[in-house]
Amino acid sequence: MKLLTLFLACLLGSTHGFVVTPQSVGSSVRLAGQAQPEIQIKTKTKVETKTRQKVEIKKKAETGDPLSRRDDDFQDAPMFKVMLLADNGYDVEHVVTRMCAIIDDLDEGAAATVYQQAMATGKAMCGKYPFERAELFKEQLLRSVPMIFADLEDENK
Protein backbone atom coordinates (compact mmCIF):
# COMPACT_ATOMS: atom_id res chain seq x y z
CA MET A 1 0.00 0.00 0.00
CA LYS A 2 2.87 2.30 0.81
CA LEU A 3 4.33 1.73 -2.62
CA LEU A 4 1.03 2.50 -4.25
CA THR A 5 0.86 5.81 -2.41
CA LEU A 6 4.38 6.74 -3.40
CA PHE A 7 3.68 5.75 -6.97
CA LEU A 8 0.60 7.91 -7.11
CA ALA A 9 2.51 10.80 -5.57
CA CYS A 10 5.27 10.51 -8.12
CA LEU A 11 2.80 10.22 -10.92
CA LEU A 12 1.01 13.38 -10.02
CA GLY A 13 4.26 15.19 -9.50
CA SER A 14 3.51 16.62 -6.11
CA THR A 15 2.49 15.50 -2.70
CA HIS A 16 -0.14 18.23 -2.44
CA GLY A 17 -3.27 16.86 -0.94
CA PHE A 18 -1.66 13.66 0.22
CA VAL A 19 -0.34 12.84 3.61
CA VAL A 20 2.31 10.18 3.69
CA THR A 21 2.90 8.63 7.05
CA PRO A 22 5.11 5.68 7.80
CA GLN A 23 3.16 2.55 8.31
CA SER A 24 3.38 0.87 11.66
CA VAL A 25 2.31 -2.59 12.57
CA GLY A 26 -1.43 -2.88 12.70
CA SER A 27 -2.10 0.52 11.13
CA SER A 28 -2.97 1.26 7.58
CA VAL A 29 -2.07 4.12 5.28
CA ARG A 30 -4.72 6.83 5.25
CA LEU A 31 -5.22 9.14 2.42
CA ALA A 32 -6.42 12.67 3.09
CA GLY A 33 -9.83 13.44 1.79
CA GLN A 34 -11.00 9.85 1.56
CA ALA A 35 -13.14 7.95 3.95
CA GLN A 36 -11.36 5.08 5.57
CA PRO A 37 -13.15 2.10 7.03
CA GLU A 38 -12.48 1.32 10.64
CA ILE A 39 -12.61 -2.43 10.08
CA GLN A 40 -9.41 -4.32 9.72
CA ILE A 41 -9.51 -7.11 7.20
CA LYS A 42 -7.88 -10.27 8.34
CA THR A 43 -7.10 -12.99 5.93
CA LYS A 44 -6.75 -16.55 6.92
CA THR A 45 -4.84 -19.00 4.84
CA LYS A 46 -5.57 -22.60 5.17
CA VAL A 47 -2.70 -24.93 4.47
CA GLU A 48 -3.59 -28.43 3.44
CA THR A 49 -0.98 -31.07 3.27
CA LYS A 50 -1.66 -34.07 1.17
CA THR A 51 0.16 -37.23 1.86
CA ARG A 52 0.73 -39.59 -0.97
CA GLN A 53 0.16 -43.20 -0.36
CA LYS A 54 2.62 -45.66 -1.65
CA VAL A 55 1.01 -47.78 -4.28
CA GLU A 56 2.38 -51.23 -4.83
CA ILE A 57 2.88 -51.97 -8.48
CA LYS A 58 2.47 -55.56 -9.38
CA LYS A 59 5.37 -56.64 -11.51
CA LYS A 60 4.71 -58.84 -14.46
CA ALA A 61 6.93 -61.77 -15.19
CA GLU A 62 10.13 -60.69 -16.83
CA THR A 63 10.20 -61.39 -20.52
CA GLY A 64 13.78 -62.47 -20.94
CA ASP A 65 13.74 -65.72 -22.84
CA PRO A 66 10.48 -67.07 -24.23
CA LEU A 67 9.14 -70.17 -22.61
CA SER A 68 9.74 -73.28 -24.59
CA ARG A 69 6.52 -75.21 -24.85
CA ARG A 70 7.83 -77.66 -27.42
CA ASP A 71 10.85 -79.81 -27.52
CA ASP A 72 13.46 -78.49 -29.87
CA ASP A 73 14.63 -81.98 -30.65
CA PHE A 74 13.78 -82.35 -34.29
CA GLN A 75 14.54 -85.54 -36.05
CA ASP A 76 15.53 -85.62 -39.68
CA ALA A 77 13.03 -87.19 -42.00
CA PRO A 78 13.89 -90.81 -42.78
CA MET A 79 15.62 -91.04 -46.13
CA PHE A 80 14.82 -93.61 -48.81
CA LYS A 81 16.91 -94.82 -51.72
CA VAL A 82 15.41 -94.69 -55.21
CA MET A 83 16.66 -97.86 -56.88
CA LEU A 84 16.68 -98.46 -60.64
CA LEU A 85 15.88 -102.12 -61.36
CA ALA A 86 17.51 -103.86 -64.33
CA ASP A 87 15.44 -105.08 -67.29
CA ASN A 88 16.59 -106.47 -70.64
CA GLY A 89 13.93 -104.50 -72.54
CA TYR A 90 15.34 -101.04 -71.67
CA ASP A 91 16.50 -98.64 -74.36
CA VAL A 92 19.60 -96.90 -72.93
CA GLU A 93 18.82 -93.50 -74.43
CA HIS A 94 15.19 -93.54 -73.20
CA VAL A 95 16.16 -94.55 -69.62
CA VAL A 96 18.93 -91.93 -69.30
CA THR A 97 16.72 -89.14 -70.77
CA ARG A 98 13.75 -89.96 -68.50
CA MET A 99 15.93 -90.24 -65.38
CA CYS A 100 17.46 -86.79 -66.09
CA ALA A 101 13.99 -85.28 -66.67
CA ILE A 102 12.42 -86.77 -63.52
CA ILE A 103 15.21 -86.73 -60.93
CA ASP A 104 16.41 -83.16 -60.39
CA ASP A 105 20.02 -83.64 -59.27
CA LEU A 106 20.92 -86.29 -61.85
CA ASP A 107 22.78 -85.31 -65.04
CA GLU A 108 23.31 -87.47 -68.15
CA GLY A 109 26.72 -88.81 -67.06
CA ALA A 110 25.42 -89.87 -63.63
CA ALA A 111 22.27 -91.36 -65.18
CA ALA A 112 24.36 -93.41 -67.64
CA THR A 113 26.52 -94.68 -64.76
CA VAL A 114 23.43 -95.66 -62.74
CA TYR A 115 22.02 -97.50 -65.79
CA GLN A 116 25.28 -99.45 -66.30
CA GLN A 117 25.46 -100.41 -62.59
CA ALA A 118 21.82 -101.55 -62.64
CA MET A 119 22.42 -103.74 -65.72
CA ALA A 120 25.55 -105.22 -64.13
CA THR A 121 24.25 -105.91 -60.58
CA GLY A 122 20.46 -106.01 -61.00
CA LYS A 123 19.77 -102.67 -59.29
CA ALA A 124 21.51 -99.33 -58.68
CA MET A 125 20.81 -96.34 -56.45
CA CYS A 126 19.67 -93.11 -58.18
CA GLY A 127 19.69 -91.02 -54.96
CA LYS A 128 18.45 -90.61 -51.35
CA TYR A 129 15.32 -88.58 -50.69
CA PRO A 130 12.59 -88.15 -48.06
CA PHE A 131 9.79 -90.69 -48.46
CA GLU A 132 7.28 -88.49 -50.30
CA ARG A 133 9.81 -87.24 -52.83
CA ALA A 134 11.32 -90.70 -53.37
CA GLU A 135 7.84 -92.12 -53.94
CA LEU A 136 7.10 -89.36 -56.45
CA PHE A 137 10.25 -90.21 -58.45
CA LYS A 138 9.43 -93.92 -58.39
CA GLU A 139 5.84 -93.33 -59.61
CA GLN A 140 7.01 -91.04 -62.42
CA LEU A 141 9.56 -93.61 -63.61
CA LEU A 142 6.86 -96.31 -63.57
CA ARG A 143 4.51 -94.10 -65.66
CA SER A 144 7.07 -93.64 -68.40
CA VAL A 145 6.32 -95.24 -71.77
CA PRO A 146 7.97 -97.72 -72.05
CA MET A 147 7.93 -98.37 -68.30
CA ILE A 148 11.10 -97.97 -66.20
CA PHE A 149 11.10 -100.17 -63.12
CA ALA A 150 12.13 -98.56 -59.83
CA ASP A 151 11.85 -99.43 -56.16
CA LEU A 152 12.35 -97.76 -52.76
CA GLU A 153 14.61 -99.02 -49.99
CA ASP A 154 15.03 -97.67 -46.49
CA GLU A 155 18.39 -95.92 -46.03
CA ASN A 156 19.13 -97.83 -42.83
CA LYS A 157 18.81 -101.32 -44.36
Side-chain angles (χ1 to χ4, degrees), residues 95-145:
V95 173
V96 170
T97 306
R98 288 301 296 156
M99 285 177 57
C100 290
I102 293 170
I103 301 174
D104 300 329
D105 55 348
L106 206 60
D107 62 358
E108 286 185 19
T113 305
V114 169
Y115 175 78
Q116 290 171 354
Q117 288 176 351
M119 296 312 266
T121 60
K123 63 182 177 178
M125 182 179 76
C126 300
K128 292 181 188 178
Y129 305 98
F131 178 74
E132 290 82 11
R133 189 159 181 161
E135 188 177 38
L136 172 74
F137 292 154
K138 174 189 159 191
E139 292 296 322
Q140 287 179 340
L141 288 171
L142 289 172
R143 290 182 185 165
S144 298
V145 177

Side-chain angles (χ1 to χ4, degrees), residues 69-87:
R69 295 184 185 189
R70 295 186 249 161
D71 291 334
D72 291 335
D73 298 330
F74 292 106
Q75 294 180 353
D76 292 330
M79 302 296 275
F80 288 84
K81 298 176 188 176
V82 177
M83 305 297 288
L84 175 66
L85 301 177
D87 187 28

Side-chain angles (χ1 to χ4, degrees), residues 6-7 22 28 30 38 43 49-50 56 61 63 68-69 79 85 119:
L6 289 175
F7 176 71
S28 61
R30 296 180 184 251
E38 293 294 323
T43 59
T49 57
K50 293 183 179 179
E56 288 185 29
T63 57
S68 178
R69 295 184 185 189
M79 302 296 275
L85 301 177
M119 296 312 266

Side-chain angles (χ1 to χ4, degrees), residues 3 15 24 47 58 60 111 133 148:
L3 290 174
T15 57
S24 63
V47 178
K58 293 182 180 178
K60 294 182 179 178
R133 189 159 181 161
I148 300 172

